[in-house]
Amino acid sequence: MFRSAFVEAVGLRFTEVTETRVRGEVLLGAEHHTPWGVVHGGVYTTVVESAATVGASAAVADRGQVAVGVANSTDFLRPITAGTVEVLAEAIQQGRSQQLWQVAITGVDSGKLIARGQLRLANVPATGLPNTLGQHS
């Protein structure tokens, strides 16, 4: 559901997608590491952007729109080397032209918050985009 090669390369798998909430998980390992052996912050930033964008786009699909990120702020709270993390993205505000989403990334085994982010999105016409919400498997 809502697949892209980039999201698949990160390993993000969506388990729930609604107009106001998205859940997913990522199995993190050595392929996600920095040269220092911890998961790269860019992985968390990608997960924040991807999860929020999928939910925000689901919210505006009936209007022929998709949502695109315009500002991503991700905080890296604790380093990990491996394990499964749960992703929970929730809408904070959904307007006609913009949306604001928050995302929590939590270690499944520890229950601890690993990273958190906030994404502001613009609602834009889906027409002419090469991969719109309507093209999913």
Side-chain angles (χ1 to χ4, degrees):
M1 158 182 301
F2 308 111
R3 296 171 60 173
S4 80
F6 185 66
V7 171
E8 286 185 12
V10 170
L12 175 57
R13 185 177 68 85
F14 298 114
T15 57
E16 175 187 0
V17 175
T18 73
E19 296 178 0
T20 59
R21 181 176 51 220
V22 173
R23 290 184 186 274
E25 63 184 19
V26 182
L27 176 58
L28 298 170
E31 66 275 19
H32 299 103
H33 284 182
T34 67
W36 303 276
V38 296
V39 174
H40 194 289
V43 173
Y44 302 125
T45 302
T46 296
V47 168
V48 165
E49 180 107 12
S50 299
T53 298
V54 164
S57 291
V60 296
D62 64 341
R63 301 190 322 225
Q65 294 180 310
V66 295
V68 296
V70 295
N72 183 332
S73 176
T74 302
D75 299 307
F76 316 122
L77 304 173
R78 58 180 38 87
I80 63 171
T81 57
T84 301
V85 293
E86 179 182 69
V87 179
L88 175 60
E90 297 177 301
I92 297 172
Q93 185 271 335
Q94 294 179 295
R96 184 181 51 77
S97 61
Q98 292 190 23
Q99 299 185 55
L100 183 63
W101 283 65
Q102 64 185 2
V103 182
I105 301 171
T106 306
V108 169
D109 291 337
S110 69
K112 294 184 178 180
L113 190 60
I114 305 299
R116 68 175 187 133
Q118 180 172 290
L119 187 70
R120 173 147 312 274
L121 305 105
N123 302 327
V124 300
T127 308
L129 295 176
N131 186 11
T132 64
L133 190 62
Q135 298 171 336
H136 62 279
S137 58

